[in-house]
Amino acid sequence: MVTATVWNEFRHEREDDAVREQYPDGIHEAIAEFLSDHGFDTRTATLDEPEHGLTEEVLAETDVLLWWGHAAHDEVSEEIVDRVQERVLDGMGLIVLHSAHYSKVFKRLMGTSCSLKWREAGERERLWAVEPSHPITDGIDEYIELPEAEMYGERFDVPAPETLVFSSWFEGGNVFRSGCCYRRGSGKVFYFRPGHETYPIYRQPEIQRVIGNAVEWAAPSEGPDPAYGERDPLEPLD
Amino acid sequence: MVTATVWNEFRHEREDDAVREQYPDGIHEAIAEFLSDHGFDTRTATLDEPEHGLTEEVLAETDVLLWWGHAAHDEVSEEIVDRVQERVLDGMGLIVLHSAHYSKVFKRLMGTSCSLKWREAGERERLWAVEPSHPITDGIDEYIELPEAEMYGERFDVPAPETLVFSSWFEGGNVFRSGCCYRRGSGKVFYFRPGHETYPIYRQPEIQRVIGNAVEWAAPSEGPDPAYGERDPLEPLD
Amino acid sequence: MVTATVWNEFRHEREDDAVREQYPDGIHEAIAEFLSDHGFDTRTATLDEPEHGLTEEVLAETDVLLWWGHAAHDEVSEEIVDRVQERVLDGMGLIVLHSAHYSKVFKRLMGTSCSLKWREAGERERLWAVEPSHPITDGIDEYIELPEAEMYGERFDVPAPETLVFSSWFEGGNVFRSGCCYRRGSGKVFYFRPGHETYPIYRQPEIQRVIGNAVEWAAPSEGPDPAYGERDPLEPLD
Amino acid sequence: MVTATVWNEFRHEREDDAVREQYPDGIHEAIAEFLSDHGFDTRTATLDEPEHGLTEEVLAETDVLLWWGHAAHDEVSEEIVDRVQERVLDGMGLIVLHSAHYSKVFKRLMGTSCSLKWREAGERERLWAVEPSHPITDGIDEYIELPEAEMYGERFDVPAPETLVFSSWFEGGNVFRSGCCYRRGSGKVFYFRPGHETYPIYRQPEIQRVIGNAVEWAAPSEGPDPAYGERDPLEPLD
């Protein structure tokens, strides 16, 4: 059984009435709930817990970590970023949601600024599935429509995804690579654009389905455990 | 339950004593046997059956097709190549084994000559797993050693694989991209180099494991069924 | 000096007044003209010439072939398709324009159906440059706007491009991977979506610039000439 | 004219007789010399200069930075790593040589550990060109042979290269992805394995040619300068 840990800043929901109304127990609980329904063993962790809730033990037991951050990226300690990066390289999956494109963890794993264009105007978004053979699209139609979304637009400063799964159209004239798969070390990383602290995007069944599919895809496989450092020859040398 | 159909020319085994000794019932039966043990619903098809054993019905019921060919590539009819290609684009997985790099089916899906260097000298091969996060490497060590193998060497004239899973070292001084993943349409394709009509490579447990993993990876997912052709606008035009 | 050969069906321009008005000497002449201005040695070839104008000699002298086709893809002979494919694998660049996504030559090199959605409604298109480090974007702004375009929409049934350079937004709600780089054999292939037989898209300076950049990018380099077939060992075998 | 700056720790050559004998003026001078012969405007910078020789001004004037480090990676300040990363994202090319796989700069841009296997036994290496259409292979034969090399072996913990140009065979039984192209921001990165502080590898003409080709490939192009942050809609919203 796959263990998914949902991490959240959990600040907006305590400080802003509009956010609290949408996600009274925090966005992490909303995500954890639908992932539990999907059949995962689900936990949560938040910024203001000791070690941001991400102790060595928690990470060791986590197969896939989901990351939501927005306003407090800078408050995440370098030590925890190091720890999460190391655990991803060791095989843990990572799902980076919406504004977490700017999280330290994602920037660390990408090596780029992860900048983009944005606009908060409640415009329509349509995510087109461009790679129908990818398991992250299981059960999804040709596109997912979001009636009201924050716009994220290209140029998105990330390395080209190893697989581009979704490409977004926005009412205001922009496009975005909104479902991006990467491998880092023995771990898999999926960036998924949709989400917002006030639009009810994580209530939408197709979005929940994609995130569930992504957890399954990103769960560690049982591949070789690479050894590094000095090594004797496997064949006789001249 | 995944249905795997193993296709074989089935000529060598009937015409050549050395091959028959290694694979008395045909190489397809040897592969089908270990895939059955792996838990797949397994069938076989051969060149000399009507429609090469690949009727519309057989292909419709096949989730993953495995292809072994060596000496009679030219005898495969264009009609069946068309049919297999169409079924791959429609979602069927395809595992292309060893000398099937030169099959019409693989060349059709790659768009290149699929040429390579080769040498039959019973030399040692070591397949290094270069992408430990890929499920095709599940249960595999850092490398697989084949005591005696036919050499295939670069330049291998294929499009760069979307994921390179294995890279081979050969005693005689060559290297080869020996585990290559592709997506074509809604289908997945895996080329896997090892195999031979007289060396007992398909008796080796790690090789059987990789092929089993590849069948699982290549099995169709439940993604969208793309629609093509003329389409009305989804948004009002000026 | 790079030699570019522009191939065109040259049917529309002779049969349809609206097309003739836009491109009186044929769309190939319009493209050849701006490529000459760009500094290339430019030639043309058309469907109704002997061997479609693509003799062995012409292809041998061509560094980069540009392909425009729309209504007569089926009339291109298999022999010439074989010849063009072989020449691409041997190093010739290929630029595939707009409706040539459905040409035999492109389908042959991709291995897929190359199908897509389309609509002819004169809607607005915006091509976003998503890979600013790619030389095909030299001299281009963040996006190119086409006031009136035929829509091409995803799912575009091609292998994932090795580099995705442009991604299109359409007024009617669709997106499209509209600048796609591939390598096939020793040759490079660029698919570029814009173009039309009646909208004056090839008169637009940014479009001309992209096509010129693409010719430079696709021109053959001086890499190794791979040898194939049986080879002696380079190292002593046990 | 392309400006190439060669960076070196320049410690070995001052502390170790064997290294000084091979590279009396430092390995950076040896590299700068053949790059000058290749036609580039060439400079050098070293660890013990103020700001490691990489002032804002030097980097602003540098089109392509070459990086050699081995024993003192930790002494490179985070501030200079930040500065180099930012300049790469802004368009500067970066060539990472041999043991610089472990430099802070490369690890920062890759997001992974960049670990590998190694062995110093003077064994034979053969770098096979696997992508003959890539300009980095210009003027190179099918393989480059190094009579005596330090072994670097897989698993090499980097993101899969966007283009794999060279794949190495080692006498002792290992393989390595030894020529790896990446894009990061508006900049291009090339990792090239060969090199050593005592084997005369940078005296070998083919190696010099590859490095020269890489500088040309990595030189900035004139693509768009992406804008980030909040943006007004380009189209009217409902």
Side-chain angles (χ1 to χ4, degrees):
Chain A
M1 195 184 198
V2 173
T3 298
T5 300
V6 185
W7 190 88
N8 181 14
E9 278 176 14
F10 197 28
R11 291 277 174 86
H12 275 318
E13 301 91 332
R14 293 183 294 167
E15 293 163 8
D16 185 314
D17 288 349
V19 182
R20 184 164 40 232
E21 193 175 333
Q22 188 57 249
Y23 294 112
D25 303 314
I27 209 166
H28 52 298
E29 292 295 347
I31 294 170
E33 194 183 322
F34 71 72
L35 290 178
S36 287
D37 293 347
H38 200 107
F40 302 116
D41 175 18
T42 309
R43 303 166 183 203
T44 63
T46 57
L47 181 63
D48 293 325
E49 294 173 61
E51 305 182 46
H52 309 328
L54 298 173
T55 60
E56 293 279 8
E57 198 184 353
V58 164
L59 285 179
E61 291 171 354
T62 299
D63 293 313
V64 180
L65 179 66
L66 296 101
W67 197 274
W68 171 273
H70 185 201
H73 296 311
D74 285 350
E75 295 182 42
V76 176
S77 79
E78 290 300 318
E79 191 192 336
I80 301 302
V81 175
D82 290 348
R83 191 184 285 171
V84 170
Q85 177 185 24
E86 198 175 325
R87 185 71 185 94
V88 168
L89 299 182
D90 190 46
M92 181 181 72
L94 179 71
I95 314 290
V96 176
L97 293 168
H98 187 63
S99 48
H101 73 92
Y102 243 5
S103 62
K104 287 183 177 178
V105 159
F106 189 55
K107 290 198 284 188
R108 176 75 68 82
L109 287 161
M110 295 294 105
T112 58
S113 74
C114 302
S115 296
L116 44 76
K117 293 185 179 62
W118 61 274
R119 175 171 60 240
E120 204 151 358
E123 67 201 89
R124 197 154 43 258
E125 176 181 4
R126 194 172 286 112
L127 292 105
W128 288 91
V130 298
E131 203 57 84
S133 71
H134 201 286
I136 285 180
T137 67
D138 272 20
I140 301 301
D141 287 335
E142 282 207 84
Y143 61 83
I144 299 171
E145 196 169 312
L146 304 185
E148 284 191 312
E150 185 182 355
M151 187 285 291
Y152 277 9
E154 297 285 345
R155 159 70 176 176
F156 182 21
D157 183 29
V158 286
E162 288 163 36
T163 311
L164 176 65
V165 179
F166 293 105
S167 191
S168 278
W169 176 97
F170 287 95
E171 199 181 344
N174 300 79
V175 298
F176 196 72
R177 291 169 291 172
S178 48
C180 297
C181 297
Y182 299 93
R183 298 175 187 277
R184 288 292 179 270
S186 296
K188 302 184 203 84
V189 178
F190 183 61
Y191 175 77
F192 191 46
R193 202 209 76 79
H196 195 258
E197 62 278 8
T198 58
Y199 305 132
I201 288 171
Y202 293 139
R203 306 295 183 195
Q204 210 169 315
E206 310 95 294
I207 297 298
Q208 297 181 355
R209 178 71 192 260
V210 169
I211 295 174
N213 290 343
V215 171
E216 272 178 44
W217 171 79
S221 51
E222 313 274 323
D225 194 16
Y228 300 113
E230 195 168 6
R231 280 296 175 280
D232 286 333
L234 298 158
E235 301 284 329
L237 300 179
D238 274 359
Chain B
M1 193 185 200
V2 173
T3 298
T5 300
V6 185
W7 190 89
N8 182 13
E9 277 175 15
F10 197 28
R11 290 278 175 85
H12 275 319
E13 301 91 332
R14 293 184 292 167
E15 292 165 8
D16 183 314
D17 288 348
V19 183
R20 186 166 38 232
E21 193 175 333
Q22 188 55 249
Y23 293 112
D25 303 316
I27 208 164
H28 53 298
E29 292 294 348
I31 294 169
E33 194 183 323
F34 71 73
L35 290 178
S36 287
D37 293 348
H38 200 107
F40 301 116
D41 176 18
T42 311
R43 303 167 183 202
T44 64
T46 57
L47 180 63
D48 293 324
E49 294 173 62
E51 306 182 46
H52 309 326
L54 299 173
T55 60
E56 293 280 8
E57 197 185 353
V58 164
L59 285 179
E61 291 170 354
T62 298
D63 293 313
V64 181
L65 179 66
L66 296 99
W67 197 273
W68 171 273
H70 185 201
H73 297 311
D74 285 350
E75 296 182 43
V76 176
S77 79
E78 291 300 317
E79 190 193 337
I80 300 302
V81 174
D82 291 349
R83 191 184 286 172
V84 169
Q85 177 185 24
E86 198 175 326
R87 185 69 186 96
V88 168
L89 299 182
D90 189 46
M92 182 181 73
L94 178 72
I95 315 289
V96 176
L97 294 167
H98 186 64
S99 47
H101 73 91
Y102 243 4
S103 62
K104 287 182 178 179
V105 159
F106 188 56
K107 291 197 284 187
R108 176 74 69 83
L109 287 161
M110 295 293 105
T112 58
S113 75
C114 302
S115 295
L116 45 75
K117 294 184 178 62
W118 61 274
R119 174 173 60 240
E120 204 151 0
E123 68 198 270
R124 196 152 45 256
E125 175 181 5
R126 194 172 286 111
L127 291 105
W128 288 91
V130 299
E131 203 56 85
S133 71
H134 201 285
I136 284 181
T137 67
D138 271 21
I140 300 300
D141 288 335
E142 281 208 83
Y143 61 84
I144 300 171
E145 196 170 311
L146 304 185
E148 284 191 311
E150 184 181 355
M151 187 283 293
Y152 277 10
E154 297 284 345
R155 159 67 175 178
F156 182 22
D157 183 28
V158 286
E162 289 163 35
T163 311
L164 176 65
V165 179
F166 294 104
S167 191
S168 279
W169 176 97
F170 287 94
E171 199 181 346
N174 300 79
V175 296
F176 196 73
R177 290 170 291 171
S178 48
C180 298
C181 297
Y182 299 92
R183 298 176 187 277
R184 289 292 180 272
S186 296
K188 304 185 200 83
V189 178
F190 183 61
Y191 175 77
F192 191 46
R193 202 211 76 78
H196 195 257
E197 62 277 10
T198 58
Y199 306 132
I201 288 171
Y202 293 138
R203 307 294 184 194
Q204 211 169 314
E206 310 97 294
I207 297 298
Q208 296 180 355
R209 178 71 192 259
V210 169
I211 296 174
N213 291 342
V215 170
E216 272 178 44
W217 171 78
S221 50
E222 312 275 322
D225 193 17
Y228 301 112
E230 193 166 8
R231 282 295 176 279
D232 286 333
L234 298 158
E235 300 284 329
L237 301 179
D238 275 359
Chain C
M1 192 184 199
V2 173
T3 297
T5 299
V6 184
W7 190 88
N8 182 13
E9 277 176 16
F10 197 30
R11 291 278 176 85
H12 274 318
E13 302 91 333
R14 294 184 291 167
E15 293 164 6
D16 184 315
D17 287 348
V19 182
R20 183 164 40 232
E21 193 174 335
Q22 188 57 249
Y23 294 112
D25 303 315
I27 208 164
H28 54 297
E29 292 295 346
I31 295 169
E33 195 183 322
F34 71 72
L35 290 178
S36 287
D37 294 347
H38 200 108
F40 302 116
D41 176 19
T42 309
R43 305 167 183 202
T44 63
T46 55
L47 179 64
D48 292 324
E49 294 174 62
E51 306 182 44
H52 309 326
L54 298 173
T55 61
E56 292 280 7
E57 198 184 353
V58 165
L59 285 179
E61 292 170 355
T62 298
D63 293 314
V64 181
L65 179 66
L66 296 99
W67 197 274
W68 172 273
H70 186 200
H73 297 310
D74 284 350
E75 295 182 43
V76 177
S77 79
E78 291 298 318
E79 191 192 336
I80 300 302
V81 174
D82 291 348
R83 192 184 284 173
V84 170
Q85 177 185 25
E86 199 175 325
R87 184 72 185 94
V88 169
L89 299 182
D90 190 45
M92 181 181 73
L94 179 72
I95 315 290
V96 177
L97 294 167
H98 187 63
S99 48
H101 73 90
Y102 244 5
S103 63
K104 286 182 177 178
V105 159
F106 189 55
K107 291 197 284 188
R108 177 74 68 84
L109 286 160
M110 294 295 105
T112 58
S113 74
C114 302
S115 296
L116 46 74
K117 293 185 177 62
W118 62 274
R119 173 173 60 239
E120 205 151 359
E123 67 199 270
R124 197 152 45 256
E125 175 181 4
R126 195 173 286 111
L127 291 104
W128 287 92
V130 298
E131 203 57 83
S133 71
H134 201 285
I136 285 181
T137 67
D138 271 21
I140 300 300
D141 287 335
E142 282 207 85
Y143 61 84
I144 300 171
E145 197 169 312
L146 304 186
E148 284 192 311
E150 184 182 355
M151 186 284 292
Y152 277 9
E154 298 282 349
R155 159 65 178 178
F156 183 20
D157 183 28
V158 287
E162 287 163 36
T163 311
L164 176 66
V165 178
F166 294 105
S167 190
S168 279
W169 175 98
F170 287 93
E171 199 181 345
N174 300 79
V175 297
F176 196 73
R177 290 169 291 173
S178 50
C180 298
C181 297
Y182 299 92
R183 299 175 187 277
R184 289 292 180 270
S186 296
K188 303 185 202 81
V189 178
F190 183 60
Y191 174 77
F192 192 46
R193 201 210 77 78
H196 196 256
E197 62 278 8
T198 58
Y199 307 133
I201 288 171
Y202 293 137
R203 307 294 184 195
Q204 210 168 314
E206 311 97 291
I207 297 297
Q208 296 180 355
R209 177 72 192 258
V210 169
I211 295 174
N213 290 342
V215 170
E216 273 179 46
W217 171 78
S221 49
E222 311 275 323
D225 195 16
Y228 300 114
E230 194 167 7
R231 281 295 175 279
D232 286 334
L234 298 158
E235 301 285 329
L237 301 179
D238 276 359
Chain D
M1 193 184 198
V2 173
T3 298
T5 300
V6 184
W7 191 88
N8 182 13
E9 276 175 16
F10 197 29
R11 290 277 175 85
H12 274 318
E13 301 91 332
R14 295 184 293 166
E15 293 165 6
D16 184 315
D17 288 348
V19 182
R20 185 166 38 234
E21 192 174 334
Q22 188 56 249
Y23 293 112
D25 303 316
I27 208 164
H28 53 298
E29 292 295 348
I31 294 170
E33 195 184 321
F34 71 72
L35 290 178
S36 287
D37 294 347
H38 201 106
F40 302 116
D41 177 18
T42 309
R43 304 166 182 202
T44 63
T46 55
L47 180 64
D48 293 324
E49 294 173 62
E51 305 183 45
H52 310 326
L54 298 173
T55 61
E56 293 279 7
E57 198 185 354
V58 165
L59 285 179
E61 291 171 355
T62 298
D63 293 315
V64 181
L65 179 66
L66 297 99
W67 197 274
W68 171 272
H70 186 200
H73 296 309
D74 285 349
E75 295 182 43
V76 177
S77 79
E78 291 299 319
E79 191 192 338
I80 300 303
V81 174
D82 291 349
R83 192 183 284 171
V84 170
Q85 178 185 22
E86 199 175 324
R87 184 72 185 94
V88 169
L89 299 182
D90 190 44
M92 182 181 72
L94 178 71
I95 315 288
V96 177
L97 293 168
H98 186 63
S99 47
H101 73 90
Y102 243 7
S103 62
K104 286 181 178 179
V105 159
F106 189 55
K107 289 197 285 188
R108 178 73 68 83
L109 287 160
M110 294 294 106
T112 58
S113 74
C114 301
S115 296
L116 46 73
K117 294 185 177 64
W118 62 273
R119 175 173 59 240
E120 206 153 358
E123 68 201 90
R124 195 152 47 258
E125 176 181 3
R126 194 172 287 112
L127 291 105
W128 288 91
V130 298
E131 204 57 83
S133 71
H134 201 284
I136 285 182
T137 67
D138 271 21
I140 301 300
D141 287 335
E142 282 208 86
Y143 62 84
I144 300 172
E145 195 170 313
L146 304 184
E148 284 192 312
E150 184 182 356
M151 186 284 292
Y152 277 10
E154 297 285 348
R155 157 68 176 179
F156 183 21
D157 183 29
V158 288
E162 287 163 37
T163 311
L164 175 66
V165 179
F166 293 105
S167 191
S168 279
W169 175 98
F170 287 95
E171 199 181 344
N174 300 78
V175 297
F176 196 72
R177 289 169 293 172
S178 49
C180 298
C181 297
Y182 299 93
R183 299 175 187 278
R184 289 292 180 270
S186 296
K188 303 185 202 83
V189 178
F190 183 60
Y191 174 78
F192 192 45
R193 202 210 76 77
H196 196 256
E197 62 279 9
T198 57
Y199 306 131
I201 287 171
Y202 293 138
R203 307 294 184 193
Q204 209 168 318
E206 309 97 292
I207 297 297
Q208 296 180 355
R209 177 73 192 259
V210 169
I211 296 173
N213 291 343
V215 170
E216 273 179 45
W217 171 79
S221 50
E222 312 275 322
D225 195 17
Y228 300 113
E230 194 167 8
R231 282 294 174 281
D232 285 334
L234 298 158
E235 300 285 329
L237 302 180
D238 276 359

